[in-house]
Amino acid sequence: MPAKTISATVAAIATDDKAAVLAQLRARVLPCAKCPNLANSRTQVVFGVGDPAAQLMFVGEAPGADEDEQGEPFIGKAGQLLTKIILTMGLSRETVYIANILKCRPDTPGQSAGNRKPTPAEMATCKPYLLEQIQIIQPRAIVALGATALEGLLGKTEGISKLRGNWQQFEGIPLMPTYHPAYLLRNQALSEKRKVWEDMLLVMEKLAMPISEKQQNFFLRA
Ligand code: URA
């Protein structure tokens, strides 16, 4: 009998078993040293957080300094804004799943502060882990946060401002590209906040979530 493909095997995972399968994957990823520079510079691998059976998954770029220190994605300033967005949708960090394209903080040799974008080679090396996370969780929708997440997931480099708000597909799962919350911290314009919120309204609609009038009208000028 031919061996089952990973996705066929994973497709059979019952909701109750997803936590265990995800924990096994986590145990494999934590000691990863495929990128020796990152394995040497990181404090820890930042695997992901949330509900192993989440309907909605957020994918960012890579851990920053705070995430590297605490081992959890999106807990720095940008993460706090993402958490607010999730709460405003009527969800929580516990009911969605949050992960990154890269599980290690990109090293910045010779620099005392700041981040750097993951290289295409680093993204390609780490992507199979994210793919397995997605195959286990099987979310009904994915939000790609920013241009790097979009590039890492779909290989699209057209730019996030062109593609945000337009449904894409990743392995048959609807994928919504939107701006990274760090962009909203840099650009405080109401119009940009509204764009991200409109993208989240599309996600809520896709998941058949209730949308209140208050939610519908967030960031609209009076
Ligand atoms: N930015 C990201 O893309 N991911 C994190 O986990 C934190 C900041």
Side-chain angles (χ1 to χ4, degrees):
M1 203 170 76
K4 274 188 186 172
T5 62
I6 292 177
S7 51
T9 308
V10 168
I13 299 175
T15 299
D16 288 355
D17 297 335
K18 288 186 178 185
V21 180
L22 206 55
Q24 283 167 17
L25 173 62
R26 185 170 188 273
R28 263 197 291 128
V29 175
L30 291 191
C32 180
K34 287 184 189 169
C35 306
N37 54 319
L38 304 188
N40 279 330
S41 62
R42 74 184 177 220
T43 306
Q44 55 195 310
V45 166
V46 179
F47 179 69
V49 73
D51 182 357
Q55 300 214 333
L56 179 58
M57 186 161 174
F58 289 85
V59 177
E61 179 173 322
D66 295 316
E67 292 78 17
D68 174 67
E69 201 181 301
Q70 296 190 44
E72 186 170 326
F74 281 101
I75 42 140
K77 282 207 174 89
Q80 287 159 25
L81 179 53
L82 175 64
T83 303
K84 260 195 201 165
I85 294 169
I86 291 169
L87 292 172
T88 309
M89 294 170 80
L91 299 166
S92 68
R93 285 176 72 93
E94 291 74 35
T95 56
V96 301
Y97 197 88
I98 307 172
N100 282 306
I101 297 284
L102 223 63
K103 308 289 185 245
C104 294
R105 179 168 196 231
D107 59 345
T108 49
Q111 254 176 254
S112 59
N115 296 312
R116 79 161 165 84
K117 189 182 157 178
T119 65
E122 288 166 346
M123 291 199 274
T125 303
C126 210
K127 190 172 172 181
Y129 294 144
L130 178 63
L131 190 59
E132 277 195 68
Q133 285 176 302
I134 293 171
Q135 286 171 332
I136 294 164
I137 296 165
Q138 295 179 331
R140 284 177 52 212
I142 297 171
V143 174
L145 298 163
T148 306
L150 188 62
E151 187 183 334
L153 281 162
L154 300 183
K156 296 204 174 195
T157 53
E158 286 101 310
I160 192 72
S161 41
K162 244 192 183 163
L163 291 177
R164 62 141 286 274
N166 295 292
W167 284 108
Q168 311 287 316
Q169 290 270 322
F170 179 77
E171 302 266 311
I173 301 168
L175 181 145
M176 175 55 67
T178 196
Y179 290 129
H180 193 286
Y183 168 74
L184 295 183
L185 292 175
R186 289 194 303 272
N187 185 341
Q188 300 270 342
L190 208 61
S191 58
E192 301 310 282
K193 289 187 181 129
R194 178 67 194 175
K195 284 178 194 165
V196 170
W197 184 243
E198 276 171 9
D199 300 344
M200 296 308 102
L201 288 173
L202 290 173
V203 170
M204 291 168 73
E205 217 173 77
K206 176 73 80 186
L207 297 178
M209 289 170 61
I211 301 177
S212 69
E213 207 180 317
K214 190 174 167 199
Q215 283 173 320
Q216 197 68 255
N217 294 331
F218 270 128
F219 307 117
L220 284 180
R221 282 177 198 284

